[in-house]
Amino acid sequence: MLRICLENVRTKAPLVHNITNYVTVNDVANILLACGASPIMADDKEEVEEITSICGGLNVNIGTLNHNTIPSMLLAGKKANELGHKVVLDPVGAGASTLRTETALKLMNEIKFDVIRGNISEIKTLAYGSGSTKGVDADIADAVTKENLNDVVAFAKAFAKKTKSVIAITGAIDLVSDANTCYVIQNGRQEMGRITGTGCQLSGMMTAYLAANPEHTLEAATAAVCAMGLAGEIGYNNMKDGDGNSTYRNRIIDAISNMTGEQLQSGARCEVL
Amino acid sequence: MLRICLENVRTKAPLVHNITNYVTVNDVANILLACGASPIMADDKEEVEEITSICGGLNVNIGTLNHNTIPSMLLAGKKANELGHKVVLDPVGAGASTLRTETALKLMNEIKFDVIRGNISEIKTLAYGSGSTKGVDADIADAVTKENLNDVVAFAKAFAKKTKSVIAITGAIDLVSDANTCYVIQNGRQEMGRITGTGCQLSGMMTAYLAANPEHTLEAATAAVCAMGLAGEIGYNNMKDGDGNSTYRNRIIDAISNMTGEQLQSGARCEVL
Amino acid sequence: MLRICLENVRTKAPLVHNITNYVTVNDVANILLACGASPIMADDKEEVEEITSICGGLNVNIGTLNHNTIPSMLLAGKKANELGHKVVLDPVGAGASTLRTETALKLMNEIKFDVIRGNISEIKTLAYGSGSTKGVDADIADAVTKENLNDVVAFAKAFAKKTKSVIAITGAIDLVSDANTCYVIQNGRQEMGRITGTGCQLSGMMTAYLAANPEHTLEAATAAVCAMGLAGEIGYNNMKDGDGNSTYRNRIIDAISNMTGEQLQSGARCEVL
């Protein structure tokens, strides 16, 4: 299934509309191209409905939200819902400011998201209405560990049931869950946290996976998470003496561009809980 | 002539004002520095006229246009025209939304562009007032091929005559044309389409080439197109096992930074039609 | 002292709020992560006070200022002052437009900056109220050389005294000065000027150094300048045939991510005047 999800992206080359932050936008565009999709970025309210209409999916990321782009997110999301397009929410920094938390909640109220992907602190903030984050990074106290895994799986399932969205919580251990089934993924490396944008890139790529596998949202989201983690491992193995986090960033995107379905299928460390 | 065009950029180090999208802006800045020019990005309407006044050329790119930057594009373009500076239009995504198409047409009505550079779908949109694109990429049905080359050359010449701009249509085969003469360039690699921003980078670098070669707009634009394509070839040859599209992006800019006039002269595959 | 400054950044991992330009923002985020800090970018006036409150330092960079972000800079700066957070000003392009010059002066009037870091032309503009720049680069006529070093040191001390800020003037020779003491740093390579964003990156990283070494502003700012210059040397030494300015950008950030306190201590070429 993972193999097929990846191959469908390469075959169908979905066009993905991104309303995303200006910090990691270039990486999001490059990883979308790397995985076989096509990115378009557009955030003016005059054009977002039209742009999203020609796309297969919409990726909404609040990383550098502002009073111009928030209305655009709402317009684009509603239009995407109306057209049955896949929509992903990346609530970057929810919990770090009232604007972010309230915007994320407002987006969730007015738009049906197929997947909500964030770190554990962001997702807890959305679930409980308030929370603690370390800026755009997860609070260490929230970390998903072997010890609390069952609790977090239960939390993810409950929140998926409540929101009717697939919930993807990424970190050292990744969870991708609907109300009934939770995939636990143990790919990736902790060094991925020392480069900016791996989360944003994953949300962009996940939108492409959903758009190319419309009947299999949970599996497609899981496949994207596995692919990103595996790319983190492959990219790390390709590092040489003197390489550091900037080269690592390139190596991860490189690994996505070279990844085959077979490689993903055999490299994924994914179990069902 | 190609050699001299490149060397003039390195000698004169023109300052180029860019009103461009936030997706590829960093790459545009780095390629301008790589080719020997200096970039400045400024898009607030309060400063764009003053900024463009101290520059040698203006690069207008509508990739992430919005209601704040559109008036700035108009103000800067008019000021650049008034001062006789070179001005390039990159109509990213024209045809993908009404806002993009209409903005590009409005810019063309109010500003005299020395060169309009886009993919074939974007240029057709500008010529016919509407068109089909695949987001920011060309529609495959529009592709310039050996079979339709003569027709597209005739189209480019006619559109150049009508607009009094040099028309640069880039893709697998590149055309740079005024009303009478069309250069056909066959440098480059198809893998360039799998990284974001090669078109935006070319428009930025082309503005530097025009500014440094003010009496030879057609040749300077052609030289920039050849340089970009050649860099795509050199960069590709410098790729190693495990490298992918993110490394390729770096290798292309690297190749521009190392390119000599002689290398460009001997590597360009350019004929006149 | 340099060693301790670096190690404190790695140990304390300060969260740094950046209101910065969209050209080099990704590099700023990556270098902050590379040095051991955590970046957050936020520029909407509704959230900047709250975001800066959870951070240890604020980096204000006017590289692509606009009428939305200028009020945000003022709000965030005042809040950071109120909370006793470290605040850095990077007056990118001051002197290139009235908007930039006046905004920088207004920021200096309303906010107490711990450090103001710019090239010599930008700092002269702030000191004299007007000046000449080559866009965002220093005017060659302004360059700090062995011949005029004593004069520039005196200028830096006087301006530091007047502003009650540490003044960091970076270029071929770097100066970091308060009213009494000026550090002169001779690390770095001229090739750093051929990539975009080394200055912006330095300002971001410097904010982290200040936040992690709150009692030693002058030394922490100096340590950041030394680290950046040394990274420029190490990165250059790691360049291979065919590498150019885009790879150099990555190599510099890589060098920061691998740099130890000992390496900084032994590699810094820093004297007191």
Side-chain angles (χ1 to χ4, degrees):
Chain A
M1 185 69 212
L2 299 176
R3 184 177 64 76
I4 293 169
C5 286
L6 179 150
E7 290 171 356
N8 278 339
V9 178
R10 296 217 187 271
T11 310
K12 299 184 184 175
L15 190 56
V16 175
H17 178 198
N18 301 275
I19 303 180
T20 188
N21 67 76
Y22 56 81
V23 184
T24 62
V25 60
N26 185 268
D27 294 329
V28 172
N30 270 322
I31 208 162
L32 276 164
L33 287 162
C35 75
S38 284
I40 184 165
M41 279 65 180
D43 63 17
D44 193 82
K45 65 181 187 298
E46 273 191 62
E47 71 165 351
V48 288
E49 292 169 291
E50 206 176 343
I51 292 289
T52 224
S53 299
I54 61 167
C55 292
L58 170 66
N59 171 33
V60 176
N61 174 310
I62 66 168
T64 52
L65 81 180
N66 64 54
H67 63 275
N68 288 318
T69 53
I70 295 168
S72 298
M73 292 172 187
L74 289 163
L75 286 168
K78 287 174 190 175
K79 174 59 77 175
N81 277 172
E82 195 183 307
L83 296 170
H85 293 181
K86 298 293 177 176
V87 193
V88 171
L89 173 64
D90 188 334
V92 179
S97 77
T98 308
L99 181 66
R100 287 176 193 239
T101 306
E102 289 187 351
T103 299
L105 294 173
K106 185 179 175 68
L107 289 164
M108 288 169 64
N109 277 337
E110 304 199 14
I111 299 164
K112 162 75 173 64
F113 289 100
D114 293 279
V115 184
I116 301 170
R117 191 217 65 81
N119 64 45
I120 179 68
S121 298
E122 291 160 350
I123 301 297
K124 279 191 173 176
T125 296
L126 302 185
Y128 304 134
S130 68
S132 74
T133 63
K134 191 189 169 195
V136 295
D137 296 317
D139 189 329
I140 287 170
D142 288 334
V144 181
T145 62
K146 284 179 189 172
E147 286 65 38
N148 67 12
L149 183 58
N150 285 336
D151 290 348
V152 185
V153 168
F155 161 74
K157 286 182 178 175
F159 192 48
K161 185 171 181 184
K162 185 180 163 201
T163 57
K164 299 186 178 63
S165 301
V166 165
I167 302 300
I169 300 170
T170 57
I173 298 175
D174 305 312
L175 307 180
V176 182
S177 189
D178 65 14
N180 304 308
T181 308
C182 181
Y183 287 95
V184 178
I185 299 113
Q186 306 225 30
N187 289 98
R189 288 193 65 96
Q190 64 171 21
E191 290 85 355
M192 297 173 82
R194 301 315 296 169
I195 58 175
T196 192
T198 49
C200 304
Q201 290 172 52
L202 173 52
S203 294
M205 184 164 68
M206 188 184 281
T207 311
Y209 271 68
L210 300 182
N213 298 281
E215 305 300 321
H216 300 282
T217 295
L218 182 65
E219 291 74 19
T222 301
V225 171
C226 292
M228 193 71 201
L230 183 60
E233 298 169 18
I234 296 170
Y236 195 83
N237 290 337
N238 285 337
M239 301 270 281
K240 298 185 180 58
D241 273 1
D243 288 354
N245 69 335
S246 192
T247 294
Y248 190 29
R249 181 257 304 265
N250 294 312
R251 293 258 160 248
I252 292 172
I253 300 177
D254 285 354
I256 291 293
S257 74
N258 290 322
M259 192 176 288
T260 62
E262 203 168 325
Q263 201 178 11
L264 175 60
Q265 190 75 44
S266 66
R269 288 199 297 278
C270 175
E271 58 182 332
V272 180
L273 283 192
Chain B
M1 186 67 213
L2 299 177
R3 184 177 64 77
I4 295 169
C5 286
L6 180 151
E7 289 170 356
N8 278 339
V9 177
R10 297 219 186 268
T11 310
K12 298 183 184 176
L15 190 56
V16 174
H17 178 199
N18 301 274
I19 303 180
T20 189
N21 67 76
Y22 57 80
V23 185
T24 63
V25 59
N26 185 269
D27 294 329
V28 171
N30 271 323
I31 208 162
L32 276 164
L33 287 162
C35 77
S38 284
I40 185 165
M41 278 64 180
D43 63 18
D44 192 83
K45 64 181 190 298
E46 273 191 62
E47 73 165 350
V48 289
E49 292 170 292
E50 207 176 342
I51 291 289
T52 223
S53 299
I54 62 167
C55 291
L58 170 65
N59 172 34
V60 176
N61 174 309
I62 66 168
T64 51
L65 81 179
N66 64 52
H67 62 274
N68 287 319
T69 53
I70 295 168
S72 299
M73 292 173 186
L74 290 163
L75 285 169
K78 287 175 188 173
K79 174 58 77 175
N81 277 172
E82 195 184 307
L83 297 170
H85 294 180
K86 297 294 177 177
V87 193
V88 171
L89 173 63
D90 188 334
V92 179
S97 78
T98 308
L99 181 66
R100 288 177 192 239
T101 305
E102 288 186 352
T103 299
L105 294 173
K106 185 178 175 68
L107 288 165
M108 289 169 65
N109 277 338
E110 303 197 15
I111 299 164
K112 163 73 172 67
F113 289 100
D114 293 279
V115 183
I116 300 169
R117 190 217 66 80
N119 66 43
I120 179 67
S121 297
E122 290 161 349
I123 301 296
K124 279 191 173 177
T125 297
L126 302 185
Y128 304 134
S130 68
S132 75
T133 63
K134 190 190 170 195
V136 296
D137 295 318
D139 189 328
I140 287 171
D142 288 335
V144 182
T145 61
K146 284 181 189 169
E147 286 65 39
N148 67 13
L149 183 59
N150 285 337
D151 289 348
V152 184
V153 168
F155 162 74
K157 286 182 177 174
F159 192 48
K161 185 170 181 185
K162 184 181 163 200
T163 57
K164 298 187 177 63
S165 301
V166 166
I167 302 300
I169 299 169
T170 57
I173 298 175
D174 304 312
L175 307 180
V176 183
S177 188
D178 65 13
N180 304 308
T181 306
C182 181
Y183 287 96
V184 178
I185 299 112
Q186 306 223 29
N187 288 100
R189 288 192 64 97
Q190 66 172 20
E191 290 84 357
M192 298 174 80
R194 302 313 298 169
I195 59 175
T196 190
T198 49
C200 303
Q201 291 173 52
L202 173 53
S203 295
M205 184 164 69
M206 188 183 281
T207 311
Y209 271 69
L210 299 182
N213 298 281
E215 306 299 321
H216 301 282
T217 295
L218 182 64
E219 291 74 17
T222 301
V225 171
C226 292
M228 193 72 201
L230 185 59
E233 298 170 19
I234 295 169
Y236 195 84
N237 290 337
N238 285 337
M239 301 271 279
K240 297 183 180 61
D241 273 359
D243 288 354
N245 70 335
S246 193
T247 294
Y248 190 29
R249 181 259 304 267
N250 293 312
R251 292 260 160 248
I252 291 172
I253 300 176
D254 285 354
I256 291 291
S257 75
N258 290 322
M259 194 176 288
T260 63
E262 203 169 323
Q263 199 177 11
L264 175 59
Q265 190 75 46
S266 66
R269 289 199 299 276
C270 174
E271 58 181 332
V272 181
L273 282 193
Chain C
M1 186 67 214
L2 299 177
R3 185 177 63 76
I4 294 168
C5 287
L6 179 150
E7 289 170 356
N8 279 338
V9 178
R10 296 217 186 268
T11 310
K12 299 184 184 176
L15 190 56
V16 175
H17 178 198
N18 301 274
I19 303 181
T20 189
N21 68 75
Y22 56 81
V23 185
T24 63
V25 60
N26 184 269
D27 294 330
V28 171
N30 271 323
I31 208 162
L32 277 164
L33 287 162
C35 76
S38 284
I40 185 164
M41 279 63 180
D43 63 17
D44 192 83
K45 63 181 189 300
E46 272 191 62
E47 71 164 350
V48 288
E49 292 170 291
E50 205 176 344
I51 292 288
T52 223
S53 299
I54 60 167
C55 292
L58 169 67
N59 172 33
V60 176
N61 174 308
I62 66 168
T64 51
L65 80 180
N66 64 54
H67 63 275
N68 287 319
T69 53
I70 295 169
S72 297
M73 293 173 186
L74 290 163
L75 286 169
K78 287 175 189 175
K79 175 58 76 175
N81 277 174
E82 197 183 306
L83 297 169
H85 293 182
K86 298 295 178 176
V87 193
V88 171
L89 173 63
D90 188 333
V92 179
S97 78
T98 308
L99 180 66
R100 288 176 191 239
T101 305
E102 289 186 351
T103 299
L105 294 173
K106 184 178 176 67
L107 289 164
M108 289 168 64
N109 277 338
E110 304 198 14
I111 300 164
K112 162 76 173 66
F113 289 100
D114 294 278
V115 184
I116 301 170
R117 192 216 64 82
N119 66 44
I120 180 68
S121 298
E122 290 161 350
I123 301 297
K124 279 192 172 177
T125 296
L126 301 185
Y128 303 134
S130 67
S132 74
T133 62
K134 190 191 170 196
V136 295
D137 295 318
D139 189 328
I140 286 170
D142 288 334
V144 181
T145 62
K146 284 180 189 171
E147 287 66 38
N148 68 12
L149 183 58
N150 286 337
D151 290 347
V152 185
V153 168
F155 160 75
K157 286 181 178 174
F159 192 48
K161 185 171 182 184
K162 185 180 162 201
T163 57
K164 299 187 177 63
S165 301
V166 166
I167 302 298
I169 300 170
T170 56
I173 299 175
D174 304 313
L175 307 179
V176 182
S177 190
D178 65 12
N180 304 308
T181 307
C182 181
Y183 288 95
V184 177
I185 299 112
Q186 306 223 30
N187 289 98
R189 290 192 63 97
Q190 64 172 20
E191 289 84 357
M192 296 173 81
R194 302 313 298 168
I195 59 175
T196 192
T198 49
C200 303
Q201 290 172 52
L202 173 52
S203 294
M205 184 164 68
M206 188 183 280
T207 311
Y209 271 68
L210 301 181
N213 298 280
E215 306 300 320
H216 301 281
T217 295
L218 183 64
E219 291 74 18
T222 302
V225 171
C226 292
M228 193 73 202
L230 184 59
E233 298 170 18
I234 295 169
Y236 196 83
N237 290 338
N238 284 336
M239 300 270 280
K240 298 185 179 63
D241 274 0
D243 288 354
N245 70 335
S246 192
T247 293
Y248 191 28
R249 182 259 304 264
N250 293 312
R251 294 259 159 249
I252 292 172
I253 300 177
D254 284 353
I256 291 292
S257 73
N258 290 321
M259 193 176 287
T260 62
E262 203 169 322
Q263 200 178 11
L264 175 60
Q265 191 74 45
S266 66
R269 288 199 298 277
C270 174
E271 59 182 332
V272 179
L273 282 193

